[in-house]
Amino acid sequence: LEAARATQQLNTLRKQEERRQTKALKARQLAERQDVQLAHNMQYAEFNVAWDKYIQEYDQMAQMYIQQMQEKHAIKLREFQEKLHDDLTKRPP
């Protein structure tokens, strides 16, 4: 009778300890998952800032190149028109 009660008490304590360890493990896993999520969110935010900066610089460079090309084409067009005008005025009727 006493042995059965001791066995039952031991089983109860084992189950309680198992539940306690399971609960502690879940708490550690949750904390770790939250840390990982926080780190991920920080990396995501840093990436977005860097990407936005890159795109802004890219757009600025693209606009600068477009402006340079437009100026170059305007100069070339003006030179062509002047040459054409000179050629036509020097040509006998």
Side-chain angles (χ1 to χ4, degrees), residues 79-92:
E79 289 172 353
F80 174 76
Q81 288 172 336
E82 289 172 359
K83 183 178 180 308
L84 182 62
H85 182 265
D86 289 345
D87 289 348
L88 289 176
T89 55
K90 291 179 183 174
R91 192 170 155 196

Side-chain angles (χ1 to χ4, degrees), residues 1-38:
L1 192 66
E2 191 66 34
R5 212 155 106 208
T7 302
Q8 184 181 3
Q9 180 69 20
L10 184 60
N11 287 338
T12 302
L13 289 173
R14 282 184 180 149
K15 286 180 184 178
Q16 286 176 349
E17 179 61 18
E18 185 179 325
R19 284 194 297 266
R20 186 192 67 76
Q21 287 182 1
T22 301
K23 187 176 178 180
L25 177 63
K26 286 182 180 181
R28 283 194 309 272
Q29 289 175 337
L30 178 62
E32 185 177 335
R33 185 173 42 208
Q34 288 172 340
D35 288 346
V36 168
Q37 185 66 39
L38 180 62

Side-chain angles (χ1 to χ4, degrees), residues 43-84:
Q43 286 179 338
Y44 181 73
E46 289 173 8
F47 172 80
N48 279 338
V49 168
W51 183 255
D52 290 345
K53 181 181 176 197
Y54 170 79
I55 291 297
Q56 182 181 10
E57 291 172 358
Y58 180 87
D59 286 344
Q60 288 174 347
M61 291 299 292
Q63 288 302 317
M64 184 184 74
Y65 290 142
I66 289 170
Q67 180 67 31
Q68 289 175 351
M69 280 305 245
Q70 287 174 336
E71 291 170 2
K72 181 178 177 182
H73 289 168
I75 291 169
K76 293 280 188 185
L77 177 61
R78 190 171 57 250
E79 289 172 353
F80 174 76
Q81 288 172 336
E82 289 172 359
K83 183 178 180 308
L84 182 62

